[in-house]
Amino acid sequence: MWSDLPDVSQYLVYESRFLDPAEPRGLWFCDSPESVLAIHINAVCLATGAKWEDLTKCEAFVSRFEHLVVVCPDRERRAVMVEEIRRRLNVIPVSVAQDQAFRGCPTVQALKENFGPKAMEQILLDVVELPVYGLLDLADVGQPDVARMPKVRSGIPNLDQAIGGFLMGELSVWTGRRGEGKSTLLSQLLLEALDQDATVCAYSGELPAWKFKYWASLQAAGPDHIRMEKDKSSGKLVPVVSPLVQPQIDEWYRRRFFLYDIGKSTVHDAANILRLFGYAHRWYGAKVFLVDNIMTARFKGTRDADFYRAQSAFVNDLATFARSNGVHVHLVAHPKKTDQKHLAADDVGGIGDITNFADNVFALERTRKGEAGEGQTVLNILKNRFYGVRKQIGLTFDETSRRFYKSGTGDPNRHYGWELTGRQIRFPEDDDEENPFLKGAETSGGPGT
């Protein structure tokens, strides 16, 4: 008996008196207590009530042995054992007993009964050693067709040309001073994804659901389907989507555009955001996600001193969620207070991990009085991990439809897929002051958030 071995009998079944790490046979991980009894020496199996996750608590025990052999006659069950063990016990080389080692017997006990104790030793003659979990032979790594990798386009030609679209498995961070149009542009990017048959899901921590939909629907409708109506109390003219058009847009959204319901909880729990994102991906096939913004997310049980650490963990979780599920996540992060005229990646609020975890970093800035292109918006690509691009792109903003489009040669009259779902509707020309036509009408004056 090896009394200095850690006691892991809560998680593994074994006989202490039959354990000897010095034995060259290594540790045999079996499929059942009956197999452990048949093999005796250095044999273990998962205990009743224990989970595969508990193997991580057995690391000190397992690491005392030179190698581990997975012993299970059933091929499918053996494959599961191999995957679970390798994922959680990467401190030890793993070998796998092959089909021929069991000579057609359904259990290890049957092998011993039919061919004698010597058959136990001969199992080692038919094992295959696996590469250490987490190490890849580069020659065996599959490579996708880079030109055909899954992505969604932004609908802004200069941006798509620069970064090739938003690749699946990536995290994009968006920053910019308040009122520069980050939320507005990202709402438009979700519509672009929707138009490419990608289901989307958004967390908007500052906007109630009705306002989020109102702004998104203005963008979806476009100038041709918006009219100005006079507010009855103030007399201000406000843009409104045609009531004949809105139902078509709603059907275009249905089961493809999901919004996190911030009205259901007073706490914007980061873990719950990730949980619902996972649900939207699994059940509705959502491929593009938005977190707007990280400062509105809350981290349960976090003290003020640990806030930035929790924030960093959340961003890391978002990046991991994007990679592991093959989706794209957009994250809004406000910049730090700075006297710099133009923002850099290091100006993103919080700690540096936010931009370190990101595959892309963008900043939106409006040109100021006296600057070239005054009143325009500049989209700065501050980081692009895939192509290494850094570039400035000029955008013009249509205030009524809240659409951004390419400066100079762009056109705000983009037609989305909802227009193909029903009869095309246009407002008749009308000079009535109560319902003036879009062109030349008073507008609200800027992209806002």
Side-chain angles (χ1 to χ4, degrees):
M1 176 179 176
W2 282 72
S3 58
D4 61 340
L5 278 172
D7 180 8
V8 292
S9 56
Q10 180 180 354
Y11 312 113
L12 298 177
V13 173
Y14 56 87
E15 280 281 351
S16 297
R17 57 198 175 102
F18 292 129
L19 293 178
D20 184 359
E23 269 281 341
R25 64 190 285 139
L27 182 68
W28 290 30
F29 204 109
C30 305
D31 60 336
S32 68
E34 292 77 15
S35 296
V36 171
L37 185 62
I39 294 171
H40 283 310
I41 299 174
N42 285 5
V44 301
C45 72
L46 199 65
T48 301
K51 299 179 181 179
W52 288 114
E53 290 82 354
D54 293 326
L55 287 184
T56 57
K57 304 167 187 173
C58 304
E59 186 174 298
F61 174 91
V62 172
S63 63
R64 295 290 302 276
F65 298 82
E66 289 189 7
H67 61 96
L68 183 149
V69 182
V70 178
V71 180
C72 176
D74 184 277
R75 185 181 299 178
E76 291 185 4
R77 189 175 181 187
R78 186 167 69 229
V80 171
M81 291 174 62
V82 168
E83 177 61 22
E84 297 290 352
I85 291 169
R86 293 183 74 212
R87 283 176 59 192
R88 295 174 173 86
L89 295 176
N90 56 8
V91 296
I92 186 171
V94 175
S95 297
V96 185
Q98 301 300 293
D99 289 342
Q100 57 269 30
F102 303 101
R103 308 185 190 188
C105 296
T107 65
V108 173
Q109 306 91 288
L111 176 65
K112 186 174 183 180
E113 291 172 3
N114 294 333
F115 297 95
K118 191 173 182 181
M120 301 293 96
E121 300 297 330
Q122 292 176 339
I123 288 177
L124 286 174
L125 300 178
D126 292 300
V127 298
V128 172
E129 184 176 352
L130 303 178
V132 175
Y133 193 80
L135 292 180
L136 299 174
D137 188 324
L138 188 60
D140 296 329
V141 174
Q143 185 168 315
D145 184 340
V146 176
R148 290 181 171 82
M149 290 175 64
K151 63 182 74 69
V152 291
R153 299 179 302 280
S154 70
I156 301 171
N158 287 10
L159 179 58
D160 290 330
Q161 180 67 31
I163 67 171
F166 298 109
L167 292 172
M168 296 297 103
E170 290 193 344
L171 170 70
S172 292
V173 169
W174 297 78
T175 192
R177 297 179 177 88
R178 293 185 183 277
E180 304 287 64
K182 301 181 298 297
S183 299
T184 303
L185 178 58
L186 283 161
S187 172
Q188 182 175 326
L189 294 183
L190 293 184
L191 295 178
E192 291 290 337
L194 202 65
D195 206 51
Q196 297 165 58
D197 294 324
T199 298
V200 302
C201 183
Y203 159 77
S204 179
E206 296 177 336
L207 294 179
W210 73 265
K211 187 177 289 186
F212 184 97
K213 179 180 178 179
Y214 169 65
W215 286 354
S217 293
L218 288 174
Q219 292 177 314
D224 287 343
H225 302 288
I226 297 174
R227 66 189 304 162
M228 307 303 294
E229 292 189 0
K230 184 179 290 186
D231 182 280
K232 293 181 179 179
S233 60
S234 68
K236 181 177 177 61
L237 294 174
V238 295
V240 177
V241 176
S242 163
L244 299 176
V245 162
Q246 187 65 57
Q248 294 183 50
I249 296 175
D250 287 342
E251 286 306 309
W252 188 58
Y253 291 157
R254 195 166 305 282
R255 297 182 69 83
R256 301 196 310 135
F257 197 145
F258 296 93
L259 181 64
Y260 183 99
D261 188 357
I262 62 173
K264 292 295 184 185
S265 175
T266 56
V267 177
H268 298 239
D269 183 29
N272 200 44
I273 294 171
L274 280 163
R275 182 181 67 82
L276 288 180
F277 277 10
Y279 184 93
H281 174 66
R282 287 192 305 274
W283 291 100
Y284 298 109
K287 300 292 286 184
V288 179
F289 295 82
L290 167 63
V291 175
D292 185 11
N293 62 74
I294 192 172
M295 293 303 296
T296 59
R298 296 292 180 264
F299 310 101
K300 284 186 176 180
T302 302
R303 298 173 300 175
D304 290 344
D306 296 326
F307 174 75
Y308 287 123
R309 186 178 303 169
Q311 190 182 77
S312 172
F314 180 50
V315 177
N316 184 34
D317 287 342
L318 288 172
T320 301
F321 173 76
R323 286 194 304 270
S324 60
N325 292 289
V327 301
H328 196 98
V329 177
H330 295 285
L331 170 66
V332 176
H334 291 305
K336 304 171 186 174
K337 291 183 178 180
T338 174
D339 295 329
Q340 295 294 324
K341 186 176 181 180
H342 300 295
L343 297 175
D346 291 341
D347 294 324
V348 174
I351 58 177
D353 283 348
I354 292 180
T355 53
N356 290 339
F357 289 135
D359 299 279
N360 306 295
V361 180
F362 305 98
L364 217 57
E365 300 180 70
R366 299 187 73 186
T367 53
R368 310 301 177 195
K369 186 175 181 179
E371 295 180 340
E374 179 183 331
Q376 299 295 299
T377 298
V378 177
L379 172 58
N380 291 289
I381 305 173
L382 303 179
K383 176 183 177 181
N384 172 245
R385 183 170 285 158
F386 198 88
Y387 293 108
V389 175
R390 299 192 68 177
K391 186 177 181 178
Q392 290 187 334
I393 297 170
L395 300 175
T396 300
F397 183 69
D398 180 68
E399 293 184 347
T400 302
S401 67
R402 303 182 63 82
R403 288 183 174 184
F404 284 98
Y405 58 98
K406 180 182 176 182
S407 294
T409 60
D411 184 357
N413 293 289
R414 164 85 160 85
H415 296 287
Y416 287 111
W418 67 263
E419 295 191 65
L420 303 176
T421 64
R423 181 170 58 87
Q424 298 301 299
I425 301 170
R426 296 285 189 273
F427 285 118
E429 297 216 14
D430 189 351
D431 294 327
D432 186 349
E433 291 183 359
E434 291 294 316
N435 292 296
F437 224 41
L438 173 64
K439 189 175 292 185
E442 179 187 347
T443 59
S444 58
T449 58

